[in-house]
Amino acid sequence: MLPNMGLTFSGSTGMDLSNNHFEGRVPSLPFGLAALNLSGNRFSGTLSFLCEIGQFLTFLDLSNNSLTGRLPDCWMKFQEKLVVLSLSDNNLSGEIPSSLGFLLNLEALSLRTNNFVGEVPMSLSNCTRLRFVDLGENKLSGVIPEWIGEKLSKLYALVLGSNKFYGRLPLQVCWLYNLQVLDLSNNGLSGNIPRCFNNFTSMARKVFKDDLGTHSYSTFGGRIPGRNPAPRACRSIINCRRLQFRETNEAQYSDNAWVVWKGTQRLFGRSGLQLLKSIDLSRNNLSGKVPHEITSLYELISLNLSMNKLHGEVPKDMSLLRNLESLDLSNNEFSGHIPWSLAQLTFLSYLDLSYNNLSGRIPTGSQLQRFSYTSYSGNPQLCGPPLTPRCGFAPVAGKKDVEEDEEDSWKSYYTGMGAGFAVGFLGICGALVLNHRCRYFFFALLSYIKDWIYVTTVVHFGKLERNLRR
């Protein structure tokens, strides 16, 4: 249990008790707190204590606890200060309150892995400084809001995966020019993939911007987490070794996000997330063809379109995605050959094309042979290493079976030919016997042909005889 610290600290200060074993309800905290990090503990109960903290709070991280209940509705008082809000990995429930829209300076919002329901409140469109949004693994529903693309133009990471969103992808998503991580997986999205994905210019070229994944927050002249020894007030708290301070008024927080990477879910922190450029639209009901424009995202590292209803051919110019390391197109309805351009992706280390309608030979003499056969399984008309030793007809049981099959086929051929001749002959004879006009015409035609042959023969022999006499 954590003791009551409402009177322990004076002034604006920072408090970091993260990654310990504290449990129970969060006690009374100093009114003048500017930064609070209680992540990685076993705290339970509601978040009502937040409404007792003053308006100086710039940083709040309560992730990885067992907190429950709804979000309080007192966010308005933090509107001018709060930069980072992380409540992920708890048991919070209810709708996301519209009062979060008062946080005009908010840069990072993480509500991942809770039980939030309802739609994303439109009031969040006021938080135009947001660069990182992770609402994944909740029970949010409705359509993907258009205002995300219209208002949150600074976003570099948008994670809405594992919710209950439905409908088409709004074209306004393509207005997020700074986007580097897009995760809309495991929802009920339908329709085509927008052709305007080539507007994600941060995925199309190497850009060296400020560290988008790092957020600075201030303690307004007080002390914040650092590396100097903790004060005496902290030494009275069991296992408070992480509550350390340094004489400064600024600290930094780095984003982190769970991303499906090469078939498994992986946590990306500051260094990895900043370099990652990923699109994950897997486990939806998307249909149509993969737009050609997606191959212009030259710096894309991971592309996951698995478990949809996409069809058509795999884009032939996939080699343009020269930095691609992970490609998953499995469990769709792709057809045609595997393009040779895939073999030119020298950084590709994970590939899954299984359970489609692909056919023909797997391009040989390339790195595509070093992937497991499971990368190609579920395509009955696909052949070649590593799926099969070679391409061609399937091996037969034995020579005798082949000879019997050939004999049966010739018997069927001759039987059909004989039956056809008999039917035709009898049809002609029947017409001559039963129809007087037909019989007259037929014999007159024979007489004409006979006379023509006789005259032609006589004339030609006469000419030949005269030539020989000369």
Side-chain angles (χ1 to χ4, degrees):
M1 295 287 292
L2 197 63
N4 192 320
M5 293 184 291
L7 301 177
T8 305
F9 298 90
S10 60
S12 297
T13 186
M15 180 179 293
D16 186 351
L17 303 177
S18 61
N19 299 313
N20 283 285
H21 300 284
F22 294 117
E23 57 185 19
R25 301 178 67 88
V26 178
S28 248
L29 297 172
F31 178 82
L33 272 180
L36 177 61
N37 189 349
L38 302 181
S39 63
N41 283 285
R42 301 172 185 170
F43 287 114
S44 57
T46 67
L47 301 182
S48 57
F49 66 92
L50 290 177
C51 297
E52 301 174 4
I53 301 176
Q55 70 273 20
F56 309 104
L57 196 65
T58 64
F59 173 84
L60 178 61
D61 188 352
L62 304 178
S63 61
N64 291 284
N65 279 287
S66 300
L67 300 168
T68 57
R70 294 173 173 268
L71 294 185
D73 204 19
C74 54
W75 300 101
M76 183 177 180
K77 65 179 179 179
F78 305 126
Q79 61 180 324
E80 296 181 0
K81 305 294 184 182
L82 196 61
V83 175
V84 175
L85 175 58
S86 179
L87 304 176
S88 61
D89 293 280
N90 280 285
N91 295 314
L92 300 170
S93 58
E95 296 185 351
I96 299 175
S98 59
S99 57
L100 283 183
F102 287 113
L103 304 177
L104 303 182
N105 285 310
L106 196 64
E107 296 179 3
L109 174 63
S110 180
L111 304 179
R112 184 182 185 88
T113 315
N114 281 286
N115 295 306
F116 292 116
V117 297
E119 299 183 353
V120 181
M122 187 175 179
S123 61
L124 285 179
S125 62
N126 298 324
C127 306
T128 55
R129 300 189 65 177
L130 276 170
R131 303 202 303 259
F132 177 88
V133 171
D134 188 351
L135 306 180
E137 296 188 19
N138 280 284
K139 299 176 182 178
L140 299 171
S141 58
V143 298
I144 304 293
E146 295 179 354
W147 53 259
I148 289 181
E150 296 171 345
K151 301 294 185 180
L152 308 184
S153 59
K154 295 184 178 181
L155 281 180
Y156 83 93
L158 176 61
V159 181
L160 301 177
S162 298
N163 279 285
K164 298 180 180 180
F165 292 110
Y166 55 82
R168 293 177 174 269
L169 279 173
L171 296 180
Q172 287 81 355
V173 171
C174 299
W175 298 4
L176 300 173
Y177 305 110
N178 294 312
L179 203 62
Q180 296 182 188
V181 177
L182 176 62
D183 183 359
L184 304 178
S185 63
N186 198 20
N187 280 286
L189 302 176
S190 58
N192 298 336
I193 299 175
R195 301 176 66 89
C196 57
F197 268 28
N198 57 342
N199 287 344
F200 298 145
T201 52
S202 289
M203 299 186 191
R205 62 174 184 265
K206 289 184 178 180
V207 287
F208 300 97
K209 298 183 178 180
D210 297 334
D211 194 352
L212 296 175
T214 300
H215 310 274
S216 299
Y217 57 95
S218 173
T219 59
F220 301 95
R223 299 184 175 192
I224 59 174
R227 294 186 179 180
N228 291 332
R232 292 181 180 179
C234 176
R235 293 172 190 166
S236 64
I237 301 175
I238 299 175
N239 201 13
C240 194
R241 62 184 181 277
R242 291 187 58 94
L243 184 55
Q244 300 175 349
F245 296 88
R246 56 188 170 91
E247 296 292 339
T248 182
N249 64 348
E250 186 175 292
Q252 290 186 332
Y253 169 81
S254 297
D255 298 322
N256 60 78
W258 287 95
V259 177
V260 174
W261 174 253
K262 299 182 180 180
T264 58
Q265 200 170 43
R266 174 181 168 184
L267 182 64
F268 282 81
R270 175 181 177 180
S271 58
L273 190 61
Q274 190 69 17
L275 299 174
L276 183 64
K277 297 183 179 182
S278 168
I279 294 178
D280 189 350
L281 304 179
S282 63
R283 297 176 183 269
N284 281 286
N285 295 313
L286 298 173
S287 56
K289 298 181 178 181
V290 177
H292 166 77
E293 287 76 8
I294 208 168
T295 60
S296 64
L297 304 179
Y298 307 128
E299 301 299 319
L300 191 65
I301 294 177
S302 177
L303 176 62
N304 190 347
L305 304 177
S306 64
M307 295 191 179
N308 281 285
K309 298 177 181 178
L310 300 170
H311 60 81
E313 295 185 346
V314 178
K316 296 185 181 300
D317 47 1
M318 292 293 288
S319 59
L320 295 177
L321 302 177
R322 52 182 177 266
N323 290 300
L324 198 65
E325 296 184 28
S326 177
L327 176 63
D328 193 344
L329 304 179
S330 63
N331 291 277
N332 278 285
E333 300 171 5
F334 289 111
S335 58
H337 297 301
I338 296 177
W340 176 258
S341 59
L342 278 182
Q344 302 175 36
L345 298 176
T346 54
F347 292 106
L348 192 65
S349 57
Y350 179 83
L351 175 67
D352 194 348
L353 302 176
S354 62
Y355 297 98
N356 281 283
N357 297 316
L358 298 171
S359 59
R361 181 188 297 273
I362 299 173
T364 56
S366 67
Q367 63 171 356
L368 298 184
Q369 272 69 53
R370 62 186 177 87
F371 294 110
S372 169
Y373 74 94
T374 56
S375 297
Y376 308 100
S377 60
N379 294 281
Q381 300 183 49
L382 201 61
C383 63
L387 193 60
T388 61
R390 58 187 178 84
C391 287
F393 294 107
V396 292
K399 183 177 180 180
K400 183 177 181 180
D401 294 335
V402 175
E403 291 177 351
E404 289 179 354
D405 290 341
E406 291 181 351
E407 185 177 352
D408 291 339
S409 63
W410 281 111
K411 286 181 180 179
S412 300
Y413 172 75
Y414 286 128
T415 301
M417 186 175 64
F421 176 79
V423 171
F425 180 77
L426 292 176
I428 294 174
C429 292
L432 294 177
V433 172
L434 300 176
N435 193 316
H436 173 73
R437 292 185 177 180
C438 184
R439 184 170 61 252
Y440 175 81
F441 175 78
F442 178 73
F443 286 111
L445 179 61
L446 288 180
S447 178
Y448 172 78
I449 293 174
K450 181 191 68 172
D451 292 342
W452 180 83
I453 293 174
Y454 174 75
V455 171
T456 302
T457 304
V458 170
V459 170
H460 280 284
F461 271 103
K463 288 182 179 180
L464 180 61
E465 185 178 0
R466 286 195 297 271
N467 290 334
L468 292 175
R469 288 179 180 177
R470 292 177 185 175

